[in-house]
Amino acid sequence: MKSYTHILLDHDGVLVDTEPLYFRATQSCVADLGVDLLLSEYLSLMAVGKNVWDLARQVGANDVEIKQARDRRNSLYRELLASEPIDIEGVVEVLTELAHRYRIAIVTTALPEDFELIHRNRTIVSKVDFVVTRDAYENSKPHPDPYLEALKRFGIGPEVALAVEDSQRGLSAAVAAGIDCAVVHNEFTATQDLSKATYQLERLGDLLPQILNRP
């Protein structure tokens, strides 16, 4: 069992249950452009980092229409974030325990304004050293850029870090950065290919006893 000193946590789907809301908002607004987006199709595109708005281009939507639809999606997503339950049971307790023994960062594709809205009345961020949001790197997951940025900020190599993800896209990003990755089961992304994970977990709380060898 490797001895890790740093934990790099994905955000959406690992710390908060936001992914279904993002899909709902996207599905609604891309439909305005003539695209009937199925969950299975969305997950396939998400897994490899492809853009759902390219589907709208294929049916004739132009750049102005797509930008307007994306802006509507972002607004609708923020409305859902403010009105729907997104907490995952046990997350704060796990982070509190981890913070006593490890350096921790959140590595996310979330926009800074979405992240701020989510955590306005939550204590998760107080448990970590820093957060890497979408404005901090060039290429999003599945590219390694987000994780490479986190390694750079900590001043460490990948061999002492463990990433925690819930999706194929995030797993691919961690693997591409040379980081071991534990995948937490998420019903929303369960159909994706997670076979490259170093560890498979049923819930975040299994991280300490099963991987980090703590009671």
Side-chain angles (χ1 to χ4, degrees):
M1 184 86 53
K2 291 180 68 172
S3 179
Y4 303 107
T5 57
H6 294 68
I7 310 297
L8 310 180
L9 296 161
D10 178 44
H11 179 246
D12 300 281
V14 172
L15 302 180
V16 285
D17 187 22
T18 51
E19 288 173 331
L21 303 184
Y22 194 80
F23 167 67
R24 282 169 52 188
T26 301
Q27 183 186 46
S28 174
C29 294
V30 80
D32 295 340
L33 301 179
V35 177
D36 183 14
L37 183 63
L38 301 177
L39 177 58
S40 58
E41 186 175 26
Y42 173 80
L43 289 172
S44 295
L45 293 170
M46 170 191 173
V48 295
K50 288 189 176 179
N51 192 328
V52 300
W53 303 102
D54 288 338
L55 300 177
R57 289 189 177 90
Q58 293 171 17
V59 297
N62 60 44
D63 288 346
V64 172
E65 292 170 329
I66 289 172
K67 183 183 184 305
Q68 291 172 343
R70 291 183 78 152
D71 289 344
R72 290 195 301 273
R73 187 275 310 276
N74 292 342
S75 295
L76 177 56
Y77 177 52
R78 287 161 195 158
E79 290 175 11
L80 292 172
L81 288 176
S83 61
E84 299 282 342
I86 60 172
D87 292 310
I88 298 177
E89 184 178 359
V91 163
V92 172
E93 290 77 8
V94 172
L95 289 181
T96 300
E97 183 69 15
L98 288 173
H100 290 315
R101 298 162 176 165
Y102 302 94
R103 303 290 300 278
I104 306 172
I106 296 173
V107 183
T108 178
T109 59
L111 296 173
E113 52 267 43
D114 294 342
F115 190 90
E116 192 279 330
L117 174 61
I118 289 168
H119 294 283
R120 188 170 296 163
N121 297 308
R122 291 182 170 86
T123 61
I124 288 173
V125 176
S126 68
K127 311 296 181 182
V128 307
D129 291 86
F130 59 80
V131 178
V132 178
T133 50
R134 183 61 188 89
D135 60 324
Y137 48 83
E138 182 175 354
N139 299 303
S140 189
K141 301 174 186 179
H143 296 281
D145 298 25
Y147 281 111
L148 293 176
E149 176 64 24
L151 295 178
K152 178 182 176 182
R153 291 192 192 186
F154 272 133
I156 59 171
E159 68 280 355
V160 297
L162 176 68
V164 182
E165 281 282 353
D166 73 306
S167 70
Q168 182 178 340
R169 177 177 66 172
L171 170 61
S172 296
V175 170
I179 303 170
D180 286 356
C181 186
V183 169
V184 179
H185 175 77
N186 182 345
E187 195 62 35
F188 185 76
T189 53
T191 59
Q192 294 184 336
D193 181 6
L194 305 174
S195 59
K196 292 183 179 180
T198 314
Y199 312 98
Q200 300 268 359
L201 303 176
E202 186 62 30
R203 58 189 182 88
L204 187 63
D206 294 334
L207 191 63
L208 284 163
Q210 291 191 24
I211 297 176
L212 302 178
N213 203 24
R214 301 286 185 175

